[in-house]
Every structure is written in structure tokens, then in C-alpha cells.
Amino acid sequence: MSQDIPETTSPGGTESTSQDIPETTSPRLTALHAVHESLGAHFTDFGGWQMPLKYGSELAEHRAVREAAGLFDLSHMGEVRVSGAVAGAFLDFALVGRLSAVAVGRAKYSLLCAEDGGIIDDLIVYRLAEDDYLVVPNAGNTATVVAALDERAGAFIALGERSGRADVTVHDASAETSLIAVQGPRAEEILLRMLSAEDGARAGGLRYYSCVPATVAGRAALVARTGYTGEDGFELFVDNASAPAVWSALAEAGEGTGLLPCGLACRDSLRLEAGMPLYGNELSREISPYEAGLGGVVALAKEGDFVGRAALQQQKDDGVGTTSGRRLVGLQGLSRRAARSHYAVLRDGRPVGEVTSGQPSPTLGHPVALAYVPVELSAPGTQLDVDLRGRPESFEVVALPFYRRQK
Amino acid sequence: MSTVKAGLRYSEDHEWLDTAETPAKVGVSAIAVEALGDVVHLELPEPGTELAAGDVCGEIESTKSVADLYAPAAGTVVEVNQAVLDDPALLNEDPYGAGWLFTVEVSAEGALLSAEEYAARNGGELA
């Protein structure tokens, strides 16, 4: 038996290890490592961290999130505080979105692009206060994002000094911050069991992509209604010292609900079904937001310059991802054999594109994949083949997401 | 630690061959199954297929990866385990029992390891 696990997919089909972390460093451990060990987790190295891949069966964990709830340690994700009187204006300059327009207590998905429009990272930005933002980059990109924000802050302040603008600070709080997620249809019920009536009213009423401070298990937490699973759910930012208590309290509150501790293997299958991109697979410095179907995240209409504006404007004018070049599509397999990352997409036997992520969908029962194909082959219903180790299999372009929860 | 069932013989590619019965039974070791994760789909050779030892004769799809199945012996495929085709989870649950894959009328064995050698080489627990 020989396994064919593409090198860019660490187990669970997840992103390649970061180019920023020398191989000689041993992976970092989260504040919950001992908890995972006691739960019998299988570990995997991911973005410079040793993270739970699964605790038992990754399929059971996937189903738990779809049907009840899952508990995730996401402490490998970065947490970067951007603060100061002009923090919003600075983020408008550093990222492609209009973050100054985000209301306090709301969050926005955004991109950090290079001057040429390539994607350095995709991230979520929470506005905690008028002059205080929390930026959450991917684990393997955190150091790169912090360096880029630092550099861009310098440029931004230099620009602003001429107009007398105030300071902005970028603080990497990743090392002292833990992130725990509870995701699934019963996540709200589980969280509310742990909150005071007052906090419960605020957190339970949270809209998707909103956040609120709350006391969880006696600890200060930022509770956000965000996630990467396609289900309702919450992500809780706490300091490292609080993480074990918060995890235990959530596990206890979930007793009898079907809540399972969940690893990165099911996180990957869940996000794929939800049609969400993964940095290193669907997104990279070689990919334009317009190719990735993320043109809507790029706010060309916002005032002032931002890093990548000229290149992104040009790409939009050229119809990249709509009338020219390639586009990210969903593929549905018509047999039981799954397409995997890096497999060639064929049209009439000729390679025309590449699969970026793919596996059998646990929820839908057939293979699903994300792939870049020429725009003229990107319409739903288009019949394509994928070269599965020398044997072409039929796939059909379908609209994303593959899976949408019943609201 | 995954178990290595005593009394069977193993290929370097992690298939096991049980020649205690005729035709011989073929399956995959618990070590390999553990590495694959949850198995969701199997492709097995049709009855009557002539195999050469070391031939790729099937595929094992799990959520996270796919593995080729190699013939541990030369011969003719006699029977395929329909139960494991219908419910590939049997391979995870019972790789040396209900999760067997197919039987083969052996004409010549490939290079096989004893259970002890295989366990020593792959860090399994003999049971």
C-alpha cells in the first residue's frame, strides 16, 4: 500500500508548513497541549505548531459539528492588535477592505495583498473599539503579516506626518493569546449555559461576524460569532492562562449535547464543504483575489491609496477571474474516487487547470474539490475530468458552497 | 500502538496474506489503516483477475488521502469482500477480521515478512 499525500497537504489536507519557519525549530505547543494529550489526540505539525489532527475518528468529529457541536483549539492562529487614533485609516491603507467603516463590535474578512496584488494572507479583522482592532492571520503567516503591518505602519505614519496624523501601533499578541472555538447547531446553547444572564443576552444576540467581551468560566474572553466550518458557532479569545479552564467549562457545558473535541482533519473537511478557501491551497502570492472569487473583498471604491491598489485596479479592468484568466470553482465528483490537491483538471484529455483541495465529502457522500480553471470553463454544469493518478474521472462544475446549513 | 496480528505474513506495502485457508485471504495491516484515517471508499480487483505480486490491484480512499493496494502474491482473485465494499468503515474497525479485502488462489508469493519482522520494522505491537 502506498499513500499519496501531496506534500503541500499536511495530514488532514491542510496547508503547507510555513515558509517562514525554519525546519530546525521544533513545533510550538499551545496552552491546551496537555489537555489534548489526556484526550488521546493524534497530533500534526501545522503552521509551525503541533496541533490535534483528530482525537478519534475524523468522520465522527465532522458529523458532530454538522449535527451537534465541536470544540476546537485554534491557538495556532495569530492575534495582532492594531491600535491608535488612526488605526482604521491605517488598516484601510494596509489591507484591501474598508476597515474604517466596520462598526465597533463587528468583524470583516479581508486580505493583505502585495504591491502586485498577490495574496500574502487572508484574515479576519475585529473592531474592538473606535481605536482598537484585532487582526487574526493564519498560523503560518503570522510573522509575515506582523512584519508587513509594521512596515506599512511606518510608511503610513510617514505619509501622515505631513498632515499631522497621529500614531498607530501594531502589537503581536499571538504568543500570549489562546483561541477556542465551539462550532455547530448546538454551539449557542452550550455557550449560553456558561454565561451570566447579562453576558448571555449579549452573546446570544450576537449577529454573525460580531464580537462582544464576556466572562466565561470566570475568565475574561472576547466572544466572536465567527468560524470556519459552515455552521453557527463562536470563537473565544482568552489569555493562555485561562485556556484550560475555558476549554474544560465548554466541554462540561457540552455534556449530553453530542459535543466532541475536534481536530484539524475535520476542520479541513468542514471548511471545504463550506467552500471556504485555505491559505496555501486556494490562496497564495501567485493568486489574485479576482481569481479566487474574492473580488468583493477588494474595496477599490474606498478613498486614498492602499497597498496593491494599482495592480488590483488593473486586474479588475482586465476582467481577471470574470472574462479572462482563471477562476476558482467547485467540482463535484460523479464517481466515488476523490480528486486531491495538485491533480490536473482535464478538458478533452488536455490539462487546463489544477485542483487545490479535494476529498470525499462526509456530509454529501460524493467527492468535492476546489480547482482553478479557465474562466470559459467555470460555469456551473461544465463537464471536466480530473486526472486521478493516470485515470481520468468525471467531475462537474457546481456553485459554491457545496454545503449550506439550514438557518 | 497499532497491532500486528501474529500468524499472518506481511508485504512491505502493509498488505497481509493469510495462507492458513485456501484460497488465501488478503487485507491491510492496522498500522496502515491507522495512517490512512477513516476509510470511505474501496476499489478492489474483480474476481477472476490475474495478479502478479506487487501489482497495483486497488485503491483505498480515506477522507485525507488515498493509497494504492498492492497484491502480496501472484494468483487469481477468487472472492471480494462485499461487506467491506458496502461499509468501508469495517476496515478501520476490524482490519484483520471483518475488514478483509479479497481472497486469492496463490500461484507464487511475493516477498513477505513474518509478523515479527513486520512489527519490528513498523513499530507495531504483536498480538
Side-chain angles (χ1 to χ4, degrees):
Chain A
M1 202 185 91
S2 72
Q3 277 193 67
D4 172 43
I5 303 179
E7 272 178 56
T8 52
T9 59
S10 33
T14 38
E15 74 191 7
S16 53
T17 49
S18 162
Q19 62 275 22
D20 309 311
I21 300 191
E23 281 178 43
T24 48
T25 56
S26 55
R28 298 161 70 183
L29 307 181
T30 74
L32 292 165
H33 193 77
V35 177
H36 304 317
E37 283 188 320
S38 71
L39 289 166
H42 300 244
F43 290 96
T44 184
D45 290 353
F46 185 86
W49 295 75
Q50 190 169 84
M51 299 301 295
L53 176 66
K54 57 179 184 172
Y55 298 84
S57 151
E58 64 267 23
L59 282 175
E61 291 168 24
H62 182 107
R63 277 194 293 267
V65 175
R66 289 277 178 256
E67 293 164 13
L71 187 59
F72 295 83
D73 178 9
L74 305 176
S75 301
H76 59 313
M77 302 292 283
E79 290 86 13
V80 186
R81 291 294 272 273
V82 176
S83 45
V86 296
F90 162 64
L91 287 171
D92 286 353
F93 168 76
L95 307 179
V96 302
R98 191 186 285 124
L99 289 308
S100 60
V102 174
V104 171
R106 299 303 309 271
K108 197 173 184 70
Y109 176 79
S110 197
L111 301 170
L112 181 96
C113 283
E115 223 31 281
D116 69 0
I119 302 168
I120 294 172
D121 198 17
D122 64 332
L123 27 76
I124 296 186
V125 182
Y126 300 86
R127 189 167 200 170
L128 308 183
E130 206 56 45
D131 58 356
D132 190 15
Y133 290 81
L134 171 66
V135 176
V136 179
N138 286 295
N141 290 335
T142 300
T144 312
V145 167
V146 171
L149 288 175
D150 275 333
E151 186 191 334
R152 291 173 191 197
F156 181 76
I157 291 163
L159 285 171
E161 273 170 353
R162 289 195 293 275
S163 55
R165 281 206 284 201
D167 210 353
V168 60
T169 59
V170 175
H171 170 67
D172 182 3
S174 307
E176 61 262 25
T177 309
S178 291
L179 176 56
I180 298 169
V182 56
Q183 298 279 306
R186 301 190 74 173
E188 181 180 346
E189 169 195 346
I190 291 164
L191 182 70
L192 291 184
R193 287 180 186 180
M194 307 170 52
L195 300 180
S196 67
E198 195 184 335
D199 279 353
R202 284 207 300 263
L206 273 183
R207 293 160 61 192
Y208 192 48
Y209 269 69
S210 303
C211 60
V212 69
T215 303
V216 182
R219 318 289 180 132
L222 175 71
V223 176
R225 200 163 206 156
T226 44
Y228 193 52
T229 59
E231 297 299 330
D232 185 23
F234 298 86
E235 294 178 318
L236 285 72
F237 296 87
V238 296
D239 63 47
N240 289 347
S242 304
V246 170
W247 175 281
S248 304
L250 280 163
E252 203 172 311
E255 275 176 22
T257 64
L259 174 94
L260 285 182
C262 290
L264 294 186
C266 80
R267 184 169 158 85
D268 192 48
S269 51
L270 290 160
R271 70 91 195 168
L272 176 59
E273 286 182 344
M276 294 171 169
L278 172 65
Y279 196 90
N281 286 35
E282 284 72 41
L283 309 178
S284 74
R285 291 186 190 221
E286 282 66 54
I287 301 278
S288 147
Y290 295 101
E291 295 173 319
L294 297 174
V297 177
V298 184
L300 290 171
K302 68 182 169 182
E303 281 185 20
D305 197 17
F306 67 91
V307 180
R309 178 192 274 280
L312 290 163
Q313 182 68 60
Q314 189 63 54
Q315 290 170 8
K316 187 173 196 305
D317 295 346
D318 293 345
V320 170
T322 51
T323 58
S324 72
R326 57 190 176 170
R327 185 176 181 86
L328 187 69
V329 297
L331 296 176
Q332 175 180 314
L334 304 178
S335 80
R336 295 295 306 277
R337 302 174 74 223
R340 309 279 177 174
S341 183
H342 296 302
Y343 288 9
V345 178
L346 310 173
R347 173 76 164 191
D348 303 325
R350 288 196 318 279
V352 291
E354 188 175 295
V355 173
T356 51
S357 296
Q359 54 175 260
S361 161
T363 307
L364 306 172
H366 56 248
V368 295
L370 294 169
Y372 280 100
V373 301
V375 290
E376 58 271 20
L377 297 175
S378 65
T382 306
Q383 302 296 314
L384 298 167
D385 294 320
V386 176
D387 182 350
L388 298 191
R389 301 173 299 282
R391 273 167 58 201
E393 284 288 349
S394 301
F395 281 76
E396 182 179 304
V397 178
V398 293
L400 292 170
F402 301 107
Y403 164 88
R404 197 188 296 276
R405 72 184 161 106
Q406 304 297 311
K407 293 269 195 294
Chain B
M1 192 180 268
S2 303
T3 57
V4 172
K5 190 177 173 191
L8 305 177
R9 281 168 313 129
Y10 297 81
S11 72
E12 290 199 353
D13 304 308
H14 308 283
E15 288 79 22
W16 55 258
L17 184 72
D18 183 359
T19 51
E21 302 165 39
T22 310
K25 241 179 206 174
V26 175
V28 173
S29 79
I31 291 173
V33 170
E34 180 64 37
L36 270 169
D38 290 332
V39 177
V40 294
H41 179 58
L42 287 164
E43 303 240 326
L44 297 176
E46 294 290 327
T49 307
E50 291 293 331
L51 300 175
D55 272 4
V56 174
C57 61
E59 274 180 4
I60 305 172
E61 291 256 15
S62 71
T63 47
K64 68 180 185 194
S65 68
V66 59
D68 283 326
L69 181 69
Y70 294 92
T76 311
V77 176
V78 178
E79 186 191 359
V80 172
N81 182 2
Q82 192 57 48
V84 81
L85 286 173
D86 295 341
D87 181 12
L90 287 177
L91 190 51
N92 293 101
E93 291 158 15
D94 192 8
Y96 300 114
W100 65 276
L101 300 180
F102 61 90
T103 60
V104 59
E105 196 69 60
V106 177
S107 58
E109 289 182 7
L112 296 175
L113 306 167
S114 69
E116 291 75 11
E117 286 168 328
Y118 177 78
R121 198 173 291 198
N122 295 282
E125 198 172 356
L126 216 55

